[in-house]
Amino acid sequence: MDEYIVEGEGVPDNVLLSELSEDALFGNVTLRYEVDRIYTFTGEVCISMNPFRRIPGLEDTPEHMSKYVGRYPYENPPHPYSVGDTAYQNMLNTKKNQAILISGESGAGKTEAAKTVLRYISFATPTSKAKDMEKIKDQLLDSNPILEAFGNAKTIRNDNSSRFGKYMKISFNAANFPVGGSINVYLLEKSRVVTRAMDERSFHIFYNLLAGADDGLLSSLQLQRDPSAYKLLALSNCYTVNTINDKSDFAAVQAAMRTLEFPADVQQALWRYVSAVLHLGQVEFTASGDSAVVANENEVAIAAQLLNTDKAVLTKALLNRTVEAQGQSIVKPLDAATAVYARDSLCKTLYERCFLQVVRQINHTIENKTISGKEEVQIGLLDIYGFEVFEKNSFEQMMINYTNEKLQQVFIELTLKQEQEEYEREGIEWTPIQYFNNKVICDLIEAKPKGIIAFMDEACLMNKTEDVFLKSLGDNFRSHEHFEDFDKKKDKAIGKLDFRLKHYAGDVIYDMTGCLDKNTDQLFRDLTRALNASSDAPLKEMFPVSNETKKRPETAGAQFRRSVNELIDMLMACSPHYIRCIKPNANKRPDELDEELCRHQIRYLGLLENVRVRRAGFAYRNEYKRFQSRYKMIGAQSWPSFRGGDDKAATEYLVRDEMGITSDLYRLGEKKGFL
Ligand SMILES: Nc1ncnc2c1ncn2[C@@H]1O[C@H](COP(=O)(O)OP(=O)(O)O)[C@@H](O)[C@H]1O
Ligand SMILES: [Mg+2]
């Protein structure tokens, strides 16, 4: 404990701050950041400031990691290892699933923190002599480079930004050995394949493949090295990134695919699909009357060849749409603009399904195949995009920010509310803490039938335009506290197709231009059929044709709402642990602190609420039975067993007489003592 608090380095736990305020919290974490203490606890929540450089002594070495194994958090400098260790110990003690939630803005260090915790758990948990268990740990770690290649991209904020959410689970058997894992992914930002901001890149794998594939592979895919030759890559005018070596990353992906037992034909197929996306992106259309014709048939031919489909079938599907009307199928030619839309949706969908195929393949290898799932307990790691506020925010940002609102609900429900409920249950005197419950914003977005997503679905179903959609939002929510729409006189910042949501983290203006197309997210059935007709069996499975022709496919918004709610339900059934990541500056620079940016993050990560509850409450609690059996050795009257009454009396004796804690600093509840 002496080493734990070092003069001039702030306090390792914000709960120990003498004053409770944003200033004090900001002062403490930034003071620590300046002396390379990038981690600070707030009770059990670990705050991590991204240093944007390697800090000597903080490397994930066995010596470093071993210091935390089986230790209480206060015995060591704060570190995500402690969070991993607490989760593991908790799992052993309670046999309950544990979830480690890592949140923060893009570039704040979430993925790095997740990898650190995974490395730690993999280091600290026992391994039987059996080779296969050692292998599971390696495989879990090795899934990272593959997932990052397919799911990460360079953005303005982060050279290696995850463009999907990830929940990684490690399963433990009754003997507490890791026996398998699984990965769930959420909302890949597939629009990135066909559109993105200047100076950003598409998914790493495109550039990795072009730079790293050997000449034989490249020519079999009919690709050339130069990424600028491909329209889908050229559109944002950024090909290389200082911090990324595409060539060696490709080798790393191939190596990881070997570790993860991707069969050679599966690998080959993935490269074919990725290349087909690039070739499809080359396809251009010209107008012939009202109908589109393909301007460069050779690109369709190459794509068809890579996808094992017939060129004529693919061409027809790119240029026509079959509509069902009065029991009849009518084939209508597409105009050039719609053909572009169809082509782009094929590129996006093909890439997304390719990504999902990669995830399936990884899961196939790492899931536990030996033991029945019954006695398994899991530790999960959630690494998901934090709140996103850009200059222009659209459908994607709204979905991402909606997820963060929902995660804040988990935080409120599980941390703040449970804490308060426990005091009530235990009959402990308690002044309720005021905190903002953001459920009202979640409802505004997701409620059925009157929420933003529902109105968007309705507009899509009725083939309405975006201004009609925005009008319906305005009519319904104009008086809502967290919603503001276009009003020339009141607020110039909100344009005609915009609205502002007052998120718990701050205000964001969303531009809804194009949102209905994004929400419909339709791959025309003709294209699905064309790929389903492929002689490549896995590809055929990736594009199933449903028999029901009438049923409308689920919209992107509805799909997203469903998968977010599944995630939330699952998290609600776990014991949560938190790592909150802060980005000290927007320039990815070491030793630079942007005060406003930090304060903003401290505010919306709910850190202050967290300290408030922690400080108003009691940092330590334990059941009387456990408490007295853990500490009875320190009291003459309690060793070997207490003679003055029940477990509660024993606890009071130990706390008051043996530990000398004054009565204002502890409370005795129904079943537990609080310190
Ligand atoms: N603990 C850390 N130590 C050193 N550098 C870090 C650390 N965490 C993050 N970084 C740097 O910041 C970049 C962005 O971090 P990342 O985890 O990808 O952010 P996020 O997942 O939150 O978007 C990393 O590529 C790395 O360069
Ligand atoms: Mg990330």
Side-chain angles (χ1 to χ4, degrees):
M1 194 81 180
D2 286 348
E3 265 183 71
Y4 182 61
I5 299 179
V6 181
E7 189 68 29
E9 293 189 352
V11 292
D13 190 330
N14 290 314
V15 174
L16 302 169
L17 285 170
S18 55
E19 174 208 329
L20 166 67
S21 64
E22 185 188 304
D23 285 343
L25 212 149
F26 169 77
N28 191 48
V29 294
T30 52
L31 170 67
R32 291 176 60 76
Y33 164 72
E34 276 159 15
V35 293
D36 285 357
R37 300 273 184 192
I38 58 172
Y39 304 118
T40 307
F41 272 110
T42 297
E44 277 122 42
V45 177
C46 180
I47 300 173
S48 161
M49 298 274 280
N50 187 348
F52 290 111
R53 64 177 162 86
R54 293 286 143 223
I55 293 186
L58 283 190
E59 297 87 0
D60 295 325
T61 55
E63 300 77 57
H64 189 206
M65 292 192 279
S66 63
K67 292 198 176 123
Y68 287 76
V69 180
R71 296 292 175 160
Y72 288 107
Y74 56 77
E75 293 181 284
N76 276 303
H79 199 285
Y81 297 160
S82 283
V83 179
D85 206 71
T86 306
Y88 181 66
Q89 299 300 334
N90 230 344
M91 181 194 76
L92 298 187
N93 293 333
T94 63
K95 290 287 164 204
K96 203 177 152 184
N97 292 339
Q98 310 289 313
I100 300 172
L101 285 79
I102 306 176
S103 57
E105 287 193 4
S106 178
K110 297 181 294 295
T111 303
E112 292 300 319
K115 284 191 267 188
T116 292
V117 175
L118 189 61
R119 257 179 242 127
Y120 176 77
I121 291 178
S122 167
F123 171 81
T125 55
T127 299
S128 86
K129 292 205 174 59
K131 269 261 179 302
D132 53 337
M133 291 199 189
E134 199 64 57
K135 204 158 108 186
I136 284 160
K137 293 178 172 184
D138 290 343
Q139 287 174 334
L140 274 168
L141 284 169
D142 268 326
S143 67
N144 274 317
I146 307 178
L147 285 172
E148 291 190 2
F150 281 86
N152 289 22
K154 180 223 182 247
T155 66
I156 308 279
R157 293 167 193 238
N158 181 351
D159 290 351
N160 187 29
S161 178
S162 326
R163 308 315 298 164
F164 65 105
K166 172 174 72 179
Y167 192 68
M168 204 182 263
K169 275 190 288 200
I170 312 165
S171 305
F172 295 83
N173 68 7
N176 307 321
F177 294 140
V179 287
S182 74
I183 291 162
N184 282 351
V185 291
Y186 300 90
L187 193 92
L188 179 76
E189 186 201 35
K190 61 181 168 184
S191 59
R192 174 164 298 271
V193 172
V194 296
T195 166
R196 58 194 174 265
M198 286 308 270
D199 300 323
E200 297 201 343
R201 289 209 314 185
S202 188
F203 297 97
H204 293 327
I205 194 65
F206 292 113
Y207 312 87
N208 293 169
L209 176 68
L210 293 181
D214 59 38
D215 292 337
L217 178 58
L218 213 58
S219 77
S220 76
L221 300 168
Q222 309 196 45
L223 293 172
Q224 57 190 90
R225 285 249 181 254
D226 179 10
S228 71
Y230 297 97
K231 293 203 181 72
L232 289 182
L233 306 185
L235 61 95
S236 53
N237 197 32
C238 174
Y239 305 103
T240 53
V241 184
N242 287 340
T243 54
I244 293 174
N245 182 333
D246 288 306
K247 192 172 175 194
S248 61
D249 282 358
F250 188 68
V253 170
Q254 286 181 306
M257 284 181 164
R258 279 192 293 276
T259 318
L260 280 152
E261 298 164 8
F262 278 50
D265 59 327
V266 170
Q267 274 192 55
Q268 287 301 321
L270 287 169
W271 307 141
R272 281 193 287 107
Y273 308 152
V274 169
S275 311
V277 172
L278 288 179
H279 286 292
L280 285 167
Q282 299 297 88
V283 176
E284 283 182 26
F285 304 97
T286 51
S288 154
D290 287 341
S291 320
V293 285
V294 173
N296 44 354
E297 287 190 27
N298 61 317
E299 292 291 351
V300 183
I302 298 173
Q305 197 190 343
L306 291 168
L307 297 172
N308 285 327
T309 53
D310 185 66
K311 181 192 159 206
V313 173
L314 185 59
T315 310
K316 186 163 178 255
L318 279 167
L319 297 176
N320 295 282
R321 189 171 179 197
T322 309
V323 210
E324 312 284 336
Q326 286 150 6
Q328 279 195 315
S329 295
I330 304 160
V331 180
K332 281 188 176 170
L334 302 178
D335 60 29
T338 317
V340 168
Y341 171 86
R343 176 203 66 198
D344 283 356
S345 58
L346 179 59
C347 292
K348 286 188 287 186
T349 311
L350 178 56
Y351 187 77
E352 185 188 40
R353 298 200 182 166
C354 189
F355 174 71
L356 295 175
Q357 188 77 353
V358 166
V359 175
R360 246 191 313 271
Q361 186 64 46
I362 293 174
N363 281 333
H364 176 73
T365 306
I366 64 179
E367 74 193 1
N368 175 16
K369 297 185 202 79
T370 51
I371 302 166
S372 81
K374 262 194 198 144
E375 66 271 43
E376 278 182 20
V377 208
Q378 286 147 350
I379 298 181
L381 273 163
L382 181 71
D383 168 10
I384 203 158
Y385 21 61
F387 217 83
E388 254 181 23
V389 191
F390 295 139
E391 256 165 52
K392 208 181 116 161
N393 305 290
S394 77
F395 181 81
E396 290 78 14
Q397 278 69 45
M398 187 168 82
M399 292 296 140
I400 286 173
N401 295 341
Y402 158 57
T403 313
N404 281 279
E405 292 282 358
K406 294 288 286 183
L407 288 171
Q408 176 71 1
Q409 277 287 294
V410 176
F411 180 62
I412 288 176
E413 288 286 323
L414 292 182
T415 308
L416 304 180
K417 230 166 120 187
Q418 261 186 18
E419 177 110 7
Q420 302 204 11
E421 279 169 7
E422 176 157 64
Y423 294 137
E424 275 162 34
R425 199 167 47 236
E426 288 284 324
I428 297 283
E429 234 179 275
W430 161 258
T431 324
I433 294 294
Q434 289 304 312
Y435 61 84
F436 170 64
N437 190 337
N438 69 330
K439 181 165 188 304
V440 49
I441 307 172
C442 295
D443 289 346
L444 172 63
I445 302 171
E446 70 174 359
K448 290 187 246 188
K450 282 187 185 296
I452 295 173
I453 294 175
F455 281 114
M456 196 153 53
D457 283 358
E458 189 181 272
C460 289
L461 188 72
M462 314 293 278
N463 281 323
K464 293 272 166 47
T465 52
E466 267 125 27
D467 49 329
V468 177
F469 161 54
L470 278 147
K471 187 174 175 309
S472 68
L473 290 187
D475 292 347
N476 277 278
F477 300 128
R478 194 153 296 133
S479 57
H480 196 290
E481 263 185 285
H482 295 275
F483 179 91
E484 282 166 1
D485 68 340
F486 174 68
D487 183 343
K488 239 189 344 236
K489 280 164 266 151
K490 241 171 68 190
D491 192 339
K492 287 211 169 58
I494 305 177
K496 272 211 166 116
L497 287 182
D498 296 348
F499 62 80
R500 175 186 282 136
L501 281 187
K502 303 183 136 206
H503 287 288
Y504 83 92
D507 296 359
V508 183
I509 296 177
Y510 296 99
D511 176 352
M512 289 288 106
T513 311
C515 78
L516 296 183
D517 269 350
K518 285 179 183 169
N519 189 43
T520 308
D521 186 29
Q522 223 185 57
L523 180 65
F524 293 153
R525 209 180 296 277
D526 302 72
L527 284 166
T528 304
R529 289 224 172 92
L531 294 206
N532 183 265
S534 164
S535 55
D536 176 325
L539 187 71
K540 196 180 177 72
E541 268 177 48
M542 282 155 66
F543 287 85
V545 176
S546 74
N547 295 328
E548 266 195 87
T549 47
K550 296 256 163 45
K551 202 168 149 228
R552 275 194 164 245
E554 203 177 21
T555 59
Q559 232 176 67
F560 192 64
R561 178 177 54 199
R562 185 169 47 77
S563 87
V564 166
N565 279 298
E566 279 167 14
L567 171 69
I568 300 296
D569 289 347
M570 192 269 302
L571 292 176
M572 287 287 192
C574 295
S575 301
H577 307 269
Y578 290 94
I579 300 173
R580 306 286 213 183
C581 301
I582 294 180
K583 185 169 57 171
N585 65 77
N587 307 318
K588 310 172 204 169
R589 268 207 285 272
D591 305 308
E592 185 180 306
L593 194 87
D594 179 334
E595 176 165 351
E596 216 13 74
L597 190 74
C598 289
R599 283 177 180 272
H600 177 74
Q601 294 171 78
I602 285 171
R603 236 167 274 149
Y604 80 64
L605 287 171
L607 295 181
L608 213 55
E609 262 92 350
N610 196 236
V611 190
R612 255 189 214 129
V613 171
R614 281 272 153 212
R615 279 173 53 105
F618 299 90
Y620 177 87
R621 77 220 38 204
N622 212 338
E623 286 172 16
Y624 294 129
K625 193 174 158 54
R626 285 200 186 176
F627 186 91
Q628 71 88 17
S629 75
R630 174 151 163 51
Y631 292 105
K632 62 183 179 181
M633 75 289 259
I634 65 171
Q637 286 183 44
S638 52
W639 181 259
S641 58
F642 186 57
R643 292 174 287 281
D646 59 6
D647 290 339
K648 182 173 178 179
T651 301
E652 181 157 31
Y653 154 75
L654 285 165
V655 169
R656 188 189 53 210
D657 301 341
E658 293 298 336
M659 299 180 178
I661 296 174
T662 54
S663 62
D664 56 324
L665 293 178
Y666 69 88
R667 293 284 183 282
L668 299 174
E670 286 285 315
K671 297 194 189 97
K672 292 179 183 174
F674 296 76
L675 301 178

